[in-house]
Amino acid sequence: MIALSLLMVCVAYLVGSVSSAVLISRLFRLPDPRKNGSGNPGATNVLRIGGRFPAVLVLLSDILKGTIPVYSAYFMGIPPVALGLIAIAACLGHIYPLYFQFNGGKGVATAFGAMLPIGPSLAGLLIASWAVVVFIWGYSSLGALVSVMLAPVFTWFIKPQYTLPVAMLSILIIFRHRDNIKRLWAGEESKVWDKGKANE
C-alpha cells in the first residue's frame, strides 16, 4: 500500500502539472495568462483576459486535476492521510508545474476538486461560502481563503476521518495566498470584475 500511495503521489503531481490556463489560452489565441492580467495562470485571470467560456473550461479542467487522482486513489483503498498527500501533490503540480517552468496558479480549483470525493454536501458548502464572500466583498482570493478555512470544519461534521487531510490541503492553499492576504490587509487587492492589469 505504501508503494501504491507513493506512485499515486507522483501521478497526482504530474496530472496537476498540466496548466489548463496556458493550454486553453493558446487554444483560444488569448494572451499568455502568466504574462497578462494578474500574471496568475488560473480561471479568474483567464476570465479577465478572455471572458467566461475559456474561464469555465479552465475552472473545470483544474477541478478535474484534483478529482481524478484522489478519486482513483480512493477506489484503490488508499487510507485518508495518504489521500491527503495525493491531494497536496496534485495542488503542488498546479502551483509548481513541471511542464511550465514551475510557474503555476494558486491551486484553489484543484484543491476543490481533490475534496469532491468527500461528497456533494461539502462541495455545496464550499461553493456557497465562496459565492457569499465574493458577492458581498468582490474578492475571489478572500472567498477562497474563507472557504478553505471552513473546509476542515465542514469535513468534521460530514466525514470526520478526512478532517486531517483536508486541513493539510487548506494550510497549503492559505500559504499560497500569503501575498493576497497582505494586499487584502492593505486594501490593495483587485476584485473579480477588475479588467486589465490586476493583482491576484
Side-chain angles (χ1 to χ4, degrees), residues 50-150:
R52 293 179 182 177
F53 185 61
V56 168
L57 292 179
V58 172
L59 179 64
L60 293 175
S61 299
D62 286 347
I63 289 172
L64 287 174
K65 291 193 306 187
T67 303
I68 291 171
V70 174
Y71 239 141
S72 299
Y74 172 78
F75 283 114
M76 292 175 187
I78 291 176
V81 173
L83 288 176
L85 295 176
I86 292 165
I88 288 172
C91 290
L92 286 174
H94 179 83
I95 295 168
Y96 305 108
L98 178 65
Y99 320 120
F100 295 89
Q101 297 78 48
F102 302 99
N103 180 17
K106 296 297 176 69
V108 176
T110 304
F112 174 76
M115 295 181 198
L116 278 180
I118 294 174
S121 53
L122 176 61
L125 288 167
L126 293 176
I127 292 170
S129 301
W130 181 88
V132 167
V133 172
V134 173
F135 179 79
I136 295 174
W137 289 286
Y139 299 110
S140 178
S141 58
L142 181 61
L145 286 164
V146 170
S147 297
V148 298
M149 285 190 286
L150 289 174

Side-chain angles (χ1 to χ4, degrees), residues 21-47:
V22 174
L23 295 177
I24 290 171
S25 293
R26 289 176 183 172
L27 179 65
F28 284 86
R29 298 183 180 179
L30 300 173
D32 189 331
R34 297 170 297 180
K35 299 176 182 177
N36 293 272
S38 67
N40 179 61
T44 302
N45 196 31
V46 172
L47 174 65

